[in-house]
Amino acid sequence: MSVRIDITGLRPERIAVVPSPLAELGMALHALSEPGHHPGLQGWATGVTARLDSHLADRMCEADFLWRTTFSDLFMPFAGVPGGGTLPGATLAEDLDLLDKLSDEQFVDAALEFTCALPYSTGGVSALADPEARRRALDLAAARGPQQLRFSERLLADPPRIRGWLRQFAQDCDEAFFAEAWSRLRHQLAADARHKTELLRRKGLAEALAAVSPAVSLDEGAARITVDKLGDGRSATGSGGLLLVPTSLGWPHLMVLHRHDWQPVLHYPVASPELASPPSVEQLTLRMTALSHPVRMRICRHLARSAYTTSELAQAHGMTAPEISRHLGVLKKAGLITTRRRGRYVLHQLDVTVVARLGSDFLEGILR
């Protein structure tokens, strides 16, 4: 599974690396509503939440589905401006002005993304114009709760009113907490943008994408960018451009805007705390499958504490050496164990660092 961007005919001058204040505000709202996704930001999130005005906190909950479970494309309106060449604004006000350049249909479709009611990568009829699409969107919103239903009804009845609500909300967030955060973050984001731009100029798109994330790759022959994600999608730059938008608050999320007729955007985290490259989706699947077997879980419990030979494990588990070898082969293929030779003995041991990255609950379980 992956998201693919067709870049046939893309000219180098149409590739830009630019921070976006509005996109970063969206990430800030996500981190505040889902602090568990961002353990490194929990101190900041706690401090912001503690001093929030109660009225603003209530409004933050009113439409949190736009940034909690999905990151609405409304936070990157520059991608939807016709022509495919608009850059993010230098200030939050400029980004909000770009939001006003979206048509009502674009605004409504992007705001209804949380319902999954409309085609995303391929386009389709708008819920604003098509009664059947409207009914389906409201049904799906109702299934997600009365709050989403009320928002969707207001949105479809009066899009300008919701535009005004969103602009005022963003401005109030800016005054309450975001302006202070942006004054610190924008320097890091600008520095990263300069670095990636220099990579583009000197070494080309492949090197720049590799620096964005190991999950992003370029097939120059096929003129295609592939982003390794648990999901399928496709987009194309067409006659427009490609945007790389860095975020300081976004780790571990690597997001791809691939909405139909919008400029493709890679929204990537900078200053990731990960010391090693993240596994591919295929590697992750192998690891989760390997650990799903009860015998292999018990073997991991032994190997987490010390190194053992195949025969020692066979004796401990009441199994034959070939049976143990098959299980060890699965664990080794998944990259979960290391093997070393000591004289005529071959010792196996769990790679605790790799397992820890899969989840602390599993690690605690096998070490308990």
Side-chain angles (χ1 to χ4, degrees):
M1 291 184 285
S2 60
V3 177
R4 298 168 297 282
I5 303 173
D6 184 342
I7 59 169
T8 301
L10 178 64
R11 302 194 306 272
E13 64 269 21
R14 300 303 300 270
I15 306 170
V17 190
V18 190
S20 163
L22 184 56
E24 197 69 351
L25 172 59
M27 266 302 167
L29 291 168
H30 172 70
L32 290 172
S33 62
E34 287 285 4
H37 288 195
H38 306 270
L41 298 176
Q42 286 186 355
W44 172 80
T46 300
V48 169
T49 303
R51 65 176 188 268
L52 270 185
D53 171 80
S54 59
H55 180 57
L56 181 57
D58 288 343
R59 289 158 64 208
M60 196 175 289
C61 295
E62 188 175 344
D64 66 349
F65 38 82
L66 294 178
W67 51 79
R68 180 190 289 270
T69 56
T70 185
F71 186 81
S72 174
D73 292 341
L74 292 177
F75 289 100
M76 293 189 278
F78 41 85
V81 177
T86 301
L87 299 180
T91 66
L92 182 62
E94 290 178 9
D95 261 353
L96 290 171
D97 287 343
L98 293 176
L99 193 61
D100 292 337
K101 293 182 181 296
L102 300 181
S103 68
D104 281 348
E105 287 77 11
Q106 286 179 302
F107 182 87
V108 168
D109 289 353
L112 285 176
E113 184 182 340
F114 71 89
T115 69
C116 304
L118 304 167
Y120 186 85
S121 293
T122 58
V125 294
S126 170
L128 201 58
D130 183 78
E132 177 59 26
R134 176 189 292 253
R135 183 197 63 76
R136 187 168 69 253
L138 291 176
D139 284 348
L140 289 168
R144 292 173 178 242
Q147 183 173 305
Q148 284 91 328
L149 178 59
R150 285 194 297 270
F151 178 87
S152 300
E153 289 172 337
R154 289 162 48 209
L155 173 70
L156 289 166
D158 192 356
R161 180 185 175 191
I162 299 301
R163 286 181 187 264
W165 180 93
L166 185 60
R167 173 182 277 273
Q168 187 60 57
F169 173 71
Q171 292 170 340
D172 291 346
C173 287
D174 190 47
E175 182 179 344
F177 65 88
F178 183 68
E180 178 187 354
W182 181 249
S183 68
R184 294 182 290 103
L185 300 175
R186 62 188 179 90
H187 302 294
Q188 180 192 31
L189 296 176
D192 184 83
R194 287 193 298 271
H195 171 63
K196 299 294 192 303
T197 301
E198 187 65 10
L199 277 177
L200 276 168
R201 187 181 69 83
R202 297 182 60 185
K203 298 189 176 181
L205 181 57
E207 289 285 340
L209 293 176
V212 163
S213 169
V216 184
S217 61
L218 171 66
D219 184 336
E220 296 189 25
R224 183 175 60 239
I225 295 170
T226 300
V227 186
D228 188 39
K229 290 177 70 72
L230 279 170
D232 288 308
R234 63 183 185 275
S235 183
T237 52
S239 59
L242 173 70
L243 280 176
L244 310 181
V245 177
T247 167
S248 287
L249 301 176
W251 186 89
H253 304 301
L254 170 65
M255 293 184 291
V256 188
L257 190 161
H258 53 98
R259 180 178 292 277
H260 179 69
D261 274 348
W262 286 41
Q263 186 178 12
V265 180
L266 289 176
H267 194 204
Y268 67 93
V270 301
S272 166
E274 289 283 272
L275 296 178
S277 298
S280 66
V281 172
E282 182 181 2
Q283 288 174 314
L284 185 60
T285 302
L286 283 173
R287 289 172 184 176
M288 300 305 289
T289 301
L291 293 172
S292 66
H293 196 288
V295 172
R296 289 195 284 271
M297 285 184 66
R298 292 196 297 271
I299 291 174
C300 285
R301 179 178 173 83
H302 272 84
L303 299 182
R305 289 164 169 76
S306 184
Y308 288 91
T309 66
T310 301
S311 59
E312 288 172 332
L313 290 169
Q315 184 176 3
H317 291 274
M319 301 172 68
T320 65
E323 288 174 324
I324 291 292
S325 291
R326 283 194 292 272
H327 286 300
L328 290 174
V330 173
L331 293 170
K332 187 171 183 179
K333 184 178 181 181
L336 294 169
I337 63 173
T338 59
T339 300
R340 71 178 190 273
R341 182 172 292 278
R342 188 181 66 195
R344 62 190 183 90
Y345 297 103
V346 176
L347 297 170
H348 311 282
Q349 191 161 16
L350 189 70
D351 190 333
V352 175
T353 302
V354 171
V355 175
R357 292 174 63 196
L358 288 175
S360 58
D361 286 349
F362 179 82
L363 184 62
E364 290 171 8
I366 63 173
L367 291 176
R368 188 178 299 141

